[in-house]
Amino acid sequence: MSYYNSNAIYNSLQNNPNYCWTVGNAWILVYGNSDSDPKLMVFAQGASWRRDNRVLSYVTALASLASLPLMHIEFDDSAQVIETVRLHSTTQPSRDISLQALKETFKQHGVPINNDQFAKAINDKESSAYHKWQRASLGRITVSDIDLIRLDNQSITAILELKRSYYGFERWKPFPADFPNFRLLNKVCVRAGIAFTIAYNIRHKSPRVFDDPSQIKLFFYDAGFNPTHEKIVPLADFVSLNY
């Protein structure tokens, strides 16, 4: 399996107590309907993911703050084809369910599904079996990864969406095509009583291609997903929460 494992901001935050995130073959996901109303939070992981109790604890806490149901789904990322996933719970024994049963569970939580029958999913280098199941089985949804959780004195205070491109700070703005996903996360933040922020860094093309986290542009929003202000901060201030 070949998963996206890091970026320049994550690399700059190693072992930082002010943030929480996961990369590789694990994802913190929020599912909503076509109107970006959040319905379900999912922690999805491959079986080879190295368990991180800190991450799981904060994901559980965030779901509780936002009053969202939480599912912890594990799939076999060493198998080429999967037909079942394992559901983990803090209140019940872990159990294996079919992909069709998983689809029905999403439906019970208010996540739109489609009528296609999808009994198997394939792992490959481009996409996990779980994400293939998601694309094939769910209906008119809004879904977004949670890139970064901000922690102040171990309390969750914000969700940050990480973006990067070759555009300079004066040119780059959040793309309208992404607004449904951003609204979904913003609504989660409103429910949880925390902030939603977009953090942007530049990916340079020359003299070589590299991500540059030395400065980060932050975009702040109110409860209605209206932009309130922007600011550019040095990496040191971002790391230390001085923004």
Side-chain angles (χ1 to χ4, degrees):
M1 298 299 296
S2 177
Y3 294 111
Y4 176 69
N5 284 310
S6 195
N7 63 33
I9 291 180
Y10 289 150
N11 291 339
S12 302
L13 294 176
Q14 293 299 320
N15 302 314
N16 188 306
N18 297 325
Y19 294 96
C20 175
W21 72 94
T22 187
V23 292
N25 57 339
W27 304 266
I28 307 167
L29 300 164
V30 177
Y31 291 87
N33 58 22
S34 58
D35 292 324
S36 299
D37 297 321
K39 299 294 183 179
L40 175 67
M41 189 173 296
V42 169
F43 186 85
Q45 61 151 110
S48 65
W49 179 70
R50 184 176 179 181
R51 184 180 177 92
D52 187 329
N53 288 328
R54 178 176 181 267
V55 170
L56 292 173
S57 175
Y58 280 117
V59 171
T60 301
L62 178 59
S64 178
L65 283 173
S67 299
L68 284 171
L70 173 65
M71 293 175 62
H72 180 175
I73 300 170
E74 178 183 337
F75 65 95
D76 186 353
D77 52 354
S78 67
Q80 183 177 6
V81 178
I82 67 166
E83 298 181 42
T84 63
V85 297
R86 171 152 286 204
L87 292 187
H88 297 287
S89 171
T90 57
T91 58
Q92 303 176 33
S94 298
R95 60 191 176 96
D96 292 334
I97 67 170
S98 69
L99 294 181
Q100 183 61 34
L102 179 64
K103 183 175 177 178
E104 290 302 316
T105 304
F106 271 63
K107 181 180 179 180
Q108 291 168 12
H109 287 301
V111 179
I113 64 171
N114 62 37
N115 294 321
D116 297 338
Q117 297 298 312
F118 194 73
K120 298 179 181 180
I122 299 173
N123 283 308
D124 60 34
K125 292 182 178 180
E126 283 69 42
S127 182
S128 74
Y130 175 80
H131 286 83
K132 284 195 169 72
W133 169 86
Q134 171 186 289
R135 288 193 292 271
S137 300
L138 302 184
R140 294 186 60 196
I141 63 167
T142 314
V143 58
S144 185
D145 292 272
I146 293 179
D147 294 332
L148 203 58
I149 299 172
R150 172 175 167 159
L151 308 168
D152 290 69
N153 297 318
Q154 300 184 344
S155 295
I156 298 173
T157 57
I159 289 174
L160 289 92
E161 172 79 8
L162 302 183
K163 305 299 289 185
R164 62 180 179 176
S165 82
Y166 298 114
Y167 294 157
F169 288 135
E170 73 288 345
R171 184 179 175 192
W172 191 86
K173 297 287 184 183
F175 294 155
D178 292 330
F179 284 5
N181 291 347
F182 296 161
R183 289 192 179 95
L184 177 70
L185 292 179
N186 195 62
K187 288 180 180 180
V188 171
C189 291
V190 171
R191 292 173 60 140
I194 61 177
F196 174 66
T197 307
I198 297 174
Y200 172 75
N201 73 280
I202 298 173
R203 181 176 173 88
H204 293 288
K205 289 184 177 181
S206 62
R208 59 185 177 85
V209 175
F210 72 100
D211 280 344
D212 180 7
S214 60
Q215 289 188 307
I216 298 170
K217 188 170 185 179
L218 302 171
F219 299 80
F220 300 90
Y221 297 86
D222 66 13
F225 190 61
N226 301 299
T228 57
H229 63 289
E230 307 169 2
K231 68 188 302 186
I232 298 172
V233 300
L235 177 62
D237 285 357
F238 186 81
V239 170
S240 64
L241 305 184
N242 185 24
Y243 60 87

